Amino acid sequence: MLKEMKKLQDDQEASIRYVQSTYDKQLHTIQETRREINLVLDTIEQKTLKEMKDTLTKLQAASKSDVEKRVRLQDELKQLRDAIQDISYKSKLELSFIATRKWEEKIKQSYIFLKKDSHQVKISITFQPNTKIVQYLSKLPGLGSIEHSTHMVMEQEDPNKVFTVQWKSVQNVRISSDSFQCSISAICVLLDGQILVVDSNNKKVKLLDQQYQVVSHCSMTGYPHDLCQTIPSEVAVTLNDHENYTHEVQFITVNNNMLVTGWKFQVLHTCYGIAHHQGDLYITAGTALYKYTMSGRQISKMYEDKLGPNTGKTQSGLI
């Protein structure tokens, strides 16, 4: 017994060291994610600064052109004035008349220029921030989801060792609006301990608290089969309505102990099992496995059992 207790203690201490090492590794991943976000923000900032610099250059070029016109007009007026005075002193009436006419034309141009310039206002550059960026970032729960998993370590000296059921209990999840016997085809436990179950017979998804009491439910448009967690407070449910030949994935959000149905998308095949991994959905259809984006776009058919439904093992769900 002492030997077994010592081994258990060593295993637990090794487990503590292992979880610390995984924590350090994932902490590095979080820091790398932050650096990637910073790089994207730096790129957006540089584009904005370049756009503002281009605007400044364009405005300065236009103002510089007006200044050059004003200086050139002033020089021409001074030259004509001096020429008229010089001709007048020499009593050359014909030349004086010609110079005066040119001077009058320049005076008209000057009046037009001054009138235009007098109505100009000061030009300024303003920056209007894209508030949607801050609003979007502020609504995010974090840089990603934190998950943990437990790995059963099998002892090499006992290859026949199997899992052992420690305890079980029977819970009643039937509610007054149920018309048929409950048939639980899928279950999902959220990070806060709340439990979602799929009651296929009654076309419902039910939310249970940690005491397995039904605290909320929502009715489905078809028969639900499976569900998986996508983000900490959201799940995706597979539905099939064989009478109307529709097959869908319905998203449900848990908000203040209430189930709220969100958007959904249809697929062109039956959908039974569903799993979420790294932003993609994996859906089984009897004897085939499909990969979808979260927006409902089919990426690929990953696998199909050509021999038929009797040999297919993908109908019940995904592991």
Side-chain angles (χ1 to χ4, degrees), residues 139-317:
K139 291 179 181 179
L140 294 178
L143 295 179
S145 60
I146 306 299
E147 302 175 355
H148 70 276
S149 58
T150 303
H151 305 278
M152 179 66 71
V153 180
M154 304 298 292
E155 297 181 2
Q156 296 182 355
E157 62 272 17
D158 186 6
N160 296 320
K161 187 175 182 179
V162 295
F163 292 102
T164 302
V165 176
Q166 299 295 327
W167 62 276
K168 68 176 182 178
S169 64
V170 178
Q171 304 295 333
N172 183 13
V173 295
R174 182 178 177 83
I175 58 178
S176 58
S177 60
D178 289 343
S179 302
F180 305 97
Q181 182 179 358
C182 296
S183 175
I184 306 303
S185 60
I187 185 170
C188 177
V189 181
L190 303 181
L191 295 178
D192 58 2
Q194 290 181 309
I195 303 168
L196 285 98
V197 295
V198 172
D199 186 352
S200 183
N201 278 357
N202 293 291
K203 296 184 179 180
K204 290 186 178 71
V205 174
K206 301 176 180 179
L207 177 65
L208 314 181
D209 58 18
Q210 295 183 7
Q211 286 72 44
Y212 308 104
Q213 300 299 312
V214 179
V215 295
S216 179
H217 74 277
C218 58
S219 299
M220 300 288 98
T221 56
Y223 287 95
H225 288 273
D226 195 10
L227 81 167
C228 68
Q229 185 174 353
T230 55
I231 59 176
S233 59
E234 181 187 77
V235 295
V237 184
T238 54
L239 305 173
N240 293 285
D241 186 354
H242 298 291
E243 295 179 359
N244 297 316
Y245 302 100
T246 57
H247 314 285
E248 301 172 332
V249 174
Q250 171 75 64
F251 291 87
I252 300 176
T253 303
V254 181
N255 188 6
N256 294 326
N257 291 330
M258 296 293 294
L259 295 182
V260 181
T261 55
W263 78 288
K264 60 183 178 181
F265 65 84
Q266 293 188 354
V267 297
L268 299 177
H269 54 78
T270 56
C271 46
Y272 295 104
I274 186 170
H276 175 266
H277 181 63
Q278 295 183 351
D280 294 320
L281 293 175
Y282 297 83
I283 303 174
T284 63
T287 58
L289 172 62
Y290 296 85
K291 182 178 181 180
Y292 282 84
T293 65
M294 289 290 290
S295 61
R297 179 177 61 86
Q298 181 179 319
I299 299 175
S300 64
K301 179 189 287 187
M302 301 181 64
Y303 172 79
E304 183 176 10
D305 187 350
K306 302 292 186 178
L307 299 180
N310 292 331
T311 58
K313 302 299 181 181
T314 59
Q315 180 170 341
S316 60

Side-chain angles (χ1 to χ4, degrees), residues 47-60 125:
K47 290 180 180 178
T48 305
L49 291 175
K50 183 181 182 301
E51 182 181 356
M52 190 164 65
K53 181 64 176 178
D54 293 342
T55 303
L56 175 63
T57 302
K58 187 184 299 183
L59 293 175
Q60 286 180 335
I125 299 176

